[in-house]
Amino acid sequence: MQLSAKELGQEYGLTAQEMNRVLVKEGFLKGQPGDYSLTEKAVDFAKEQDFHRGTGGYSYYNRYWTIITFADSIKEKLNVTPELKKEVRSEIAAERAARYAAQAAARAQAKAEFLAKQADEKVVKEASELAVTEAEELMRKCKKAGVVGLIIIGSTAISYGVYKTAPKVKKWWKERKEHNEDVA
């Protein structure tokens, strides 16, 4: 009967991950988790079977995979001692802790980058708001200066008009007065 690493590990009180690690240490498997292959030593005791889910779906679907099963006779060749179990479990725990530490460091770095980006965006936003406020203040000052300028130009134009027309109006007034005196 063929047994998977999970089924084989259950007989020794191990998980599939731990049993695969034992099989690597015993020389029956080579590779890394998720990418194991058989060694020459395992050819008589194991069988690889490829599976294919079929076509269709999205490209990220895992449509091809391989299952490795072991014959019952491999148990005679395995030397699973309590020390080996302890060693395998400590290695897996150390790898898991390293992976978690790397993930935590990556999260911390991503958070720091995010906060730095947010701070930069806040500075840019505040600078643009300050520029808008300054531009609005300049526009108000320009409007005030324009109004004052218009008043000065208007009063100057009126004064000039009075200056130029006053002698003519005086002359006209004087002629009218004389004409009214002559008629009366």
Side-chain angles (χ1 to χ4, degrees):
M1 179 169 97
Q2 293 291 111
L3 302 170
S4 67
K6 179 181 177 183
E7 295 165 337
L8 191 59
Q10 286 175 345
E11 295 187 20
Y12 294 103
L14 300 171
T15 65
Q17 184 181 19
E18 293 166 345
M19 190 66 215
N20 280 328
R21 182 67 61 107
V22 166
L23 290 167
V24 168
K25 288 192 172 288
E26 294 285 318
F28 292 100
L29 291 179
K30 62 182 175 183
Q32 298 297 319
D35 189 26
Y36 289 117
S37 59
L38 296 175
T39 62
E40 291 295 322
K41 185 177 178 181
V43 171
D44 295 334
F45 303 102
K47 178 174 84 170
E48 285 183 306
Q49 189 174 4
D50 294 324
F51 290 91
H52 177 26
R53 184 186 324 210
T55 60
Y58 297 97
S59 62
Y60 55 82
Y61 284 161
N62 183 12
R63 297 189 312 228
Y64 297 92
W65 68 96
T66 302
I67 293 180
I68 300 174
T69 55
F70 301 92
D72 280 332
S73 58
I74 197 169
K75 295 177 194 172
E76 299 167 4
K77 298 290 182 179
L78 288 175
N79 184 21
V80 182
T81 62
E83 294 81 23
L84 182 60
K85 288 181 184 181
K86 185 176 179 182
E87 179 184 342
V88 164
R89 287 178 177 146
S90 66
E91 286 176 3
I92 291 172
E95 287 176 2
R96 186 176 294 132
R99 189 172 54 248
Y100 290 159
Q103 289 172 347
R107 277 193 298 274
Q109 181 181 0
K111 183 178 180 179
E113 290 172 358
F114 174 76
L115 292 175
K117 181 181 175 186
Q118 290 294 95
D120 290 345
E121 289 175 357
K122 183 178 179 182
V123 167
V124 168
K125 182 179 177 184
E126 288 174 353
S128 67
E129 288 174 355
L130 180 63
V132 167
T133 304
E134 288 174 353
E136 288 173 350
E137 184 64 31
L138 181 62
M139 290 298 289
R140 277 194 289 277
K141 287 179 181 178
C142 288
K143 283 181 182 179
K144 261 187 196 175
V147 168
V148 170
L150 285 175
I151 291 172
I152 291 172
I153 290 172
S155 61
T156 304
I158 291 171
S159 298
Y160 182 75
V162 168
Y163 168 75
K164 283 295 195 176
T165 58
K168 293 177 184 177
V169 169
K170 263 183 165 178
K171 183 179 172 188
W172 174 78
W173 190 259
K174 187 177 177 183
E175 289 175 358
R176 187 168 182 252
K177 189 176 178 186
E178 288 175 0
H179 178 65
N180 284 342
E181 286 177 1
D182 286 342
V183 174

